[in-house]
Amino acid sequence: MAASPGPAGVGGAGAVYGSGSSGFALDSGLEIKTRSVEQTLLPLVSQITTLINHKDNTKKSDKTLQAIQRVGQAVNLAVGRFVKVGEAIANENWDLKEEINIACIEAKQAGETIAALTDITNLNHLESDGQITIFTDKTGVIKAARLLLSSVTKVLLLADRVVIKQIITSRNKVLATMERLEKVNSFQEFVQIFSQFGNEMVEFAHLSGDRQNDLKDEKKKAKMAAARAVLEKCTMMLLTASKTCLRHPNCESAHKNKEGVFDRMKVALDKVIEIVTDCKPNGETDISSISIFTGIKEFKMNIEALRESLYFQSKENLSVTLEVILERMEDFTDSAYTSHEHRERILELSTQARMELQQLISVWIQAQSKKTKSIAEELELSILKISHSLNELKKELHSTATQLAADLLKYHADHVVLKALKLTGVEGNLEALAEYACKLSEQKEQLVETCRLLRHISGTEPLEITCIHAEETFQVTGQQIISAAETLTLHPSSKIAKENLDVFCEAWESQISDMSTLLREINDVFEGRRGEKYGYLSLPKPMKNNANLKSLKPDKPDSEEQAKIAKLGLKLGLLTSDADCEIEKWEDQENEIVQYGRNMSSMAYSLYLFTRGEGPLKTSQDLIHQLEVFAAEGLKLTSSVQAFSKQLKDDDKLMLLLEINKLISLCHQLQTVTKTSLQNKVFLKVDKCITKTRSMMALLVQLLSLCYKLLKKLQMENNGWVSVTNKDTMDSKT
């Protein structure tokens, strides 16, 4: 489950959010080991119970008793490992040490008792038929097993408190450093503090990622994923927005842009703590109303319950519930973007549902006084009629929202307004800025309202959370793009202002892409092609272990899929050639950056051969394993490049760290994809993996070129060769 954390400093700040899980600090690592031992321990205890109760008589065969003994010994060994981990946690947390140690002692005693009671060497009772009499203290084993379960639960609960405390402490450190970043006035001081901020964000990302994996509630898991997605994207925004403010300290729009990033990050940090501690600040309650589809689902359950009992609920409650649902449909009927045909159809079906409920209530009243077969049949018919009307209403709402979303995504696919804003900024055209800012605001309102409608028809709570996240992202990012564009327009020659606008535009484009995926997910759920559980789109995905590789079954792609894979592979092959060309420029071929780059290029070429049905990789499992190694090699490369960046001046250093940050993010995203099960859809998984690999190779080519140029510049300044990643240099710096 654990992986080495990303490199310290700026490069690792936002990247690790692409992964749902990573290695983290000592206490949490111990807690993960505790869970791992628990997963081994509890099935063994269950086996003991099964073996004891097997053909519940007084005799057991030699084979059965030997099996019981083996399980008893295995339990005792697992308990020993569990206790060691628990004691280590206790030593690191003095406030909980006594409680954890007591629970560990109980667990150890229970394990030893089970081992002793299942030891057949203590049993010398032989019967004439060759069977060994079962040990006399069967109840003792059961009692010990119960004690073991109780003590294990205590340790896990206490370890959980340790993890929660860690996450809160980590959040507080991040907030304190953010406060310093907000007040910084010197560029050099900013670089130093942001480096510390990067380390703290890496730690917080790891802690919150593992916590996300441990959550059982799908709604909470989706909320955590949304909050972590905000932190991932805002980390990059915070860097460029802060740099812009430092470069243009008297620019009001630059300060407005920066404040927006800080505010959103603080809200996201608070949201993580709210989920972890399961409580809202100041006793607030969740006031968000339920979606229309959820309301219809609950309403249908209530009317269908009439088949079981006519007295289960009141008629007034049913009428009020339906009216609340129909009132929420005003989001559709009042929307300026809903077509006239859809609006008329929704109103017609709403009226029909009201009429059929009145008919149902009328029959219901009769059924309470007359217990005849004809009345029962009429009640059943009324239930079926209103259920059918509600289903038709759901179809109409789904069609309205998804058609609007699809048209909107298609219309804005080329990002004309964003391109115009960038051009306007570079030209310094304030009049054109006002025009395109107005157009972006209109686009933002359309997208926000569409996300609101999609939430109503999403069908599952996690998808509802994703819709809310998309709505908030469009709302905030739209305003930030306008303020960033205004800054660039006022300072058209500013490279950092241009870079800042690019970052916010990329976030907008990314959210548009996510919305497209969200639309597909909603359609899948509506049409019954998907179950309740799924990955959270572009949001961080939970990673477990490599066990899901076993579920990959041969899934022969059709000709269209093969063509797509071949096309992706060809592009990947071309990128490996580009990377090799960049590597050949380097005079020192033993340089670590060159070595890691060469390794990645070689592995990417193997992936290219795989798409042609050639090379050493024969199966999808071979491919996934190679991709895991490829991602790990990418992270090693970023560490070496970051070591090199320490020798550069501030501007060059930040430029390089931005590229490192992008590569780290892609590495973690690839790791997530390789470890995420896609319900045996091997082609889809391979497609996603190769697409990510292609993006990484494109970035590798850019990174190798940039490092080479910066190295040459550094050599000219120092008038001599600088070994950029020399081991001795790194050790001395450490």
Side-chain angles (χ1 to χ4, degrees):
M1 182 173 182
S4 58
V10 180
V16 288
Y17 283 94
S19 165
S21 171
S22 300
F24 55 111
L26 177 63
D27 292 346
S28 296
L30 291 171
E31 191 262 350
I32 285 178
K33 291 175 186 174
T34 308
R35 290 188 183 279
S36 177
V37 176
E38 173 214 13
Q39 290 167 0
T40 306
L41 193 60
L42 300 188
L44 290 170
V45 176
S46 176
Q47 285 182 41
I48 287 181
T49 307
T50 303
L51 289 168
I52 291 172
N53 294 330
H54 177 63
K55 294 180 183 178
D56 199 9
N57 53 34
T58 58
K59 305 259 180 133
K60 303 288 180 187
S61 67
D62 286 343
K63 187 176 180 181
T64 300
L65 287 172
Q66 287 169 3
I68 292 174
Q69 183 180 26
R70 285 196 301 273
V71 173
Q73 290 170 346
V75 167
N76 195 27
L77 288 172
V79 170
R81 293 195 299 273
F82 183 89
V83 167
K84 283 182 181 178
V85 174
E87 289 172 345
I89 294 175
N91 290 334
E92 293 292 328
N93 297 273
W94 288 91
D95 52 333
L96 298 174
K97 183 173 183 178
E98 186 177 352
E99 291 179 79
I100 295 175
N101 281 338
I102 291 172
C104 286
I105 291 169
E106 290 177 356
K108 188 175 181 180
Q109 289 174 345
E112 291 172 350
T113 301
I114 289 172
L117 292 174
T118 55
D119 187 357
I120 59 174
T121 58
N122 295 331
L123 304 173
N124 300 313
H125 301 84
L126 292 175
E127 300 288 332
S128 58
D129 58 1
Q131 298 287 318
I132 300 178
T133 305
I134 186 64
F135 42 73
T136 56
D137 196 4
K138 171 180 170 180
T139 55
V141 176
I142 296 173
K143 184 178 178 181
R146 286 175 179 166
L147 177 61
L148 179 58
L149 291 174
S150 173
S151 54
V152 165
T153 302
K154 285 180 187 176
V155 174
L156 290 174
L157 288 172
L158 291 167
D160 199 56
R161 284 167 57 184
V162 171
V163 175
I164 291 172
K165 184 175 75 172
Q166 269 192 305
I167 295 173
I168 293 172
T169 302
S170 178
R171 187 280 305 260
N172 292 340
K173 286 197 295 184
V174 169
L175 283 176
T177 307
M178 282 178 65
E179 189 175 341
R180 291 174 62 201
L181 280 173
E182 281 186 279
K183 298 174 181 177
V184 72
N185 294 316
S186 152
F187 195 80
Q188 187 175 1
E189 185 185 0
F190 170 77
V191 172
Q192 293 173 348
I193 298 174
F194 194 88
S195 183
Q196 178 187 340
F197 174 72
N199 290 332
E200 292 167 354
M201 285 298 289
V202 167
E203 180 190 9
F204 187 77
H206 292 157
L207 289 166
S208 59
D210 281 296
R211 189 65 181 182
Q212 179 183 321
N213 289 347
D214 288 338
L215 291 170
K216 300 296 185 289
D217 186 313
E218 290 296 313
K219 187 175 180 180
K220 287 182 180 178
K221 188 174 283 190
K223 284 183 176 181
M224 177 74 89
R228 295 179 72 244
V230 170
L231 292 171
E232 175 192 2
K233 292 179 180 177
C234 282
T235 300
M236 181 64 71
M237 294 174 182
L238 185 145
L239 175 60
T240 57
S242 297
K243 284 169 60 182
T244 305
C245 265
L246 289 169
R247 190 61 53 89
H248 309 290
N250 299 321
C251 183
E252 185 180 341
S253 58
H255 283 281
K256 181 180 177 182
N257 182 257
K258 171 186 162 186
E259 287 165 8
V261 178
F262 275 93
D263 289 345
R264 196 164 188 225
M265 288 192 77
K266 289 173 184 176
V267 170
L269 288 166
D270 288 343
K271 178 63 69 175
V272 171
I273 300 304
E274 177 188 312
I275 297 163
V276 167
T277 58
D278 201 20
C279 64
K280 292 182 177 289
N282 304 321
E284 296 174 10
T285 56
D286 192 351
I287 58 173
S288 60
S289 60
I290 62 172
S291 68
I292 292 174
F293 270 29
T294 302
I296 289 176
K297 181 180 178 181
E298 292 176 0
F299 180 76
K300 285 177 68 178
M301 288 172 60
N302 289 336
I303 61 173
E304 287 168 3
L306 294 175
R307 292 175 177 137
E308 304 298 327
S309 171
L310 297 173
Y311 307 96
F312 183 68
Q313 56 201 316
S314 72
K315 303 164 188 64
E316 292 76 14
N317 282 347
L318 274 185
S319 297
V320 169
T321 303
L322 181 62
E323 286 305 316
V324 170
I325 293 169
L326 298 181
E327 185 180 329
R328 292 198 183 114
M329 289 183 198
E330 291 176 1
D331 285 348
F332 285 81
T333 56
D334 291 352
S335 172
Y337 309 111
T338 301
S339 69
H340 178 71
E341 292 77 10
H342 281 304
R343 184 179 292 108
E344 290 298 313
R345 182 63 177 153
I346 292 169
L347 291 172
E348 179 187 332
L349 289 169
S350 298
T351 302
Q352 186 177 333
R354 280 194 185 96
M355 291 171 57
E356 286 175 352
L357 178 59
Q358 292 306 314
Q359 177 63 24
L360 173 64
I361 290 173
S362 176
V363 176
W364 182 6
I365 293 170
Q366 293 180 49
Q368 286 178 326
S369 57
K370 299 178 184 178
K371 307 293 183 181
T372 64
K373 183 179 179 181
S374 60
I375 288 293
E377 289 174 349
E378 194 174 346
L379 179 65
E380 177 65 22
L381 182 61
S382 296
I383 292 172
L384 292 174
K385 277 185 176 181
I386 192 169
S387 294
H388 176 72
S389 292
L390 291 172
N391 286 338
E392 289 299 308
L393 188 53
K394 284 178 65 177
K395 288 179 184 177
E396 190 62 32
L397 295 172
H398 179 270
S399 174
T400 302
T402 54
Q403 186 178 320
L404 174 61
D407 291 345
L408 198 58
L409 289 170
K410 186 177 180 181
Y411 183 73
H412 296 301
D414 51 4
H415 305 294
V416 173
V417 177
L418 296 184
K419 292 174 183 175
L421 279 171
K422 290 178 183 179
L423 184 61
T424 298
V426 172
E427 292 174 347
N429 189 337
L430 287 169
E431 187 176 336
L433 170 68
E435 177 188 346
Y436 288 111
C438 184
K439 288 184 177 180
L440 184 67
S441 295
E442 290 174 4
Q443 183 179 333
K444 179 196 71 177
E445 291 306 318
Q446 284 181 315
L447 289 165
V448 165
E449 189 155 336
T450 302
C451 289
R452 197 173 297 136
L453 299 185
L454 287 175
R455 176 183 169 248
H456 278 306
I457 58 105
S458 57
T460 68
E461 283 192 328
L463 280 177
E464 280 189 40
I465 301 300
T466 307
C467 289
I468 293 170
H469 168 71
E471 180 184 337
E472 292 172 350
T473 300
F474 283 126
Q475 190 74 263
V476 175
T477 310
Q479 288 299 119
Q480 289 177 315
I481 288 174
I482 292 171
S483 60
E486 184 180 341
T487 303
L488 178 58
T489 308
L490 293 170
H491 307 278
S493 60
S494 172
K495 290 183 180 179
I496 182 56
K498 183 178 182 300
E499 180 188 7
N500 187 47
L501 178 57
D502 287 340
V503 168
F504 283 96
C505 287
E506 284 173 14
W508 180 275
E509 292 170 10
S510 173
Q511 192 57 54
I512 290 282
S513 176
D514 288 351
M515 188 174 173
S516 179
T517 309
L518 171 62
L519 184 58
R520 287 199 300 273
E521 292 281 0
I522 289 172
N523 282 327
D524 284 347
V525 170
F526 184 76
E527 294 169 15
R529 292 197 297 265
R530 298 286 299 269
E532 291 276 334
K533 294 185 179 180
Y534 48 83
Y536 299 112
L537 314 178
S538 70
L539 306 181
K541 298 176 179 63
M543 295 194 315
K544 294 300 179 187
N545 50 40
N546 290 337
N548 61 63
L549 291 180
K550 298 177 182 177
S551 66
L552 289 177
K553 298 177 182 177
D555 183 10
K556 189 175 181 180
D558 58 32
S559 56
E560 184 179 344
E561 292 172 339
Q562 286 177 331
K564 184 178 180 183
I565 288 291
K567 186 177 179 182
L568 286 171
L570 180 60
K571 293 178 181 177
L572 187 59
L574 293 172
L575 284 168
T576 60
S577 298
D578 293 341
D580 291 341
C581 290
E582 290 296 333
I583 288 169
E584 287 173 5
K585 294 178 182 177
W586 291 65
E587 297 172 11
D588 180 13
Q589 290 292 306
E590 297 303 312
N591 186 287
E592 281 189 2
I593 295 175
V594 172
Q595 289 177 356
Y596 290 132
R598 188 185 295 114
N599 291 345
M600 291 178 70
S601 180
S602 176
M603 284 185 274
Y605 188 74
S606 296
L607 300 177
Y608 158 66
L609 293 177
F610 176 84
T611 64
R612 296 167 53 90
E614 302 169 3
L617 307 178
K618 303 300 181 185
T619 66
S620 55
Q621 290 192 25
D622 293 340
L623 175 71
I624 298 302
H625 175 69
Q626 179 81 309
L627 288 165
E628 289 174 339
V629 178
F630 180 82
E633 203 72 8
L635 291 173
K636 291 177 184 176
L637 172 69
T638 60
S639 296
S640 292
V641 175
Q642 193 165 27
F644 169 46
S645 72
K646 294 177 182 177
Q647 303 178 39
L648 304 175
K649 292 182 178 178
D650 288 342
D651 279 343
D652 290 339
K653 180 179 181 180
L654 281 174
M655 178 171 60
L656 189 56
L657 290 175
L658 281 170
E659 296 302 312
I660 296 173
N661 203 41
K662 293 176 186 176
L663 184 56
I664 294 175
S665 181
L666 285 171
C667 289
H668 284 292
Q669 288 172 29
L670 180 59
Q671 288 176 331
T672 302
V673 173
T674 59
K675 290 179 172 63
T676 302
S677 174
L678 289 178
Q679 299 179 338
N680 298 331
K681 294 182 180 178
V682 177
F683 165 75
L684 182 58
K685 186 164 186 172
V686 170
D687 178 33
K688 285 191 172 188
C689 287
I690 293 179
T691 301
K692 289 289 181 192
T693 305
R694 194 185 69 185
S695 300
M696 288 176 64
M697 284 302 297
L699 193 55
L700 173 66
V701 172
Q702 295 176 26
L703 199 56
L704 287 169
S705 175
L706 180 60
C707 286
Y708 178 78
K709 291 174 183 175
L710 292 174
L711 176 61
K712 285 296 179 185
K713 180 179 177 182
L714 190 63
Q715 288 175 344
M716 290 176 65
E717 290 172 352
N718 295 343
N719 195 25
W721 176 258
V722 179
S723 181
V724 297
T725 51
N726 183 273
K727 292 285 185 183
D728 295 335
T729 304
M730 288 181 66
D731 290 342
S732 65
K733 283 182 176 291
T734 302

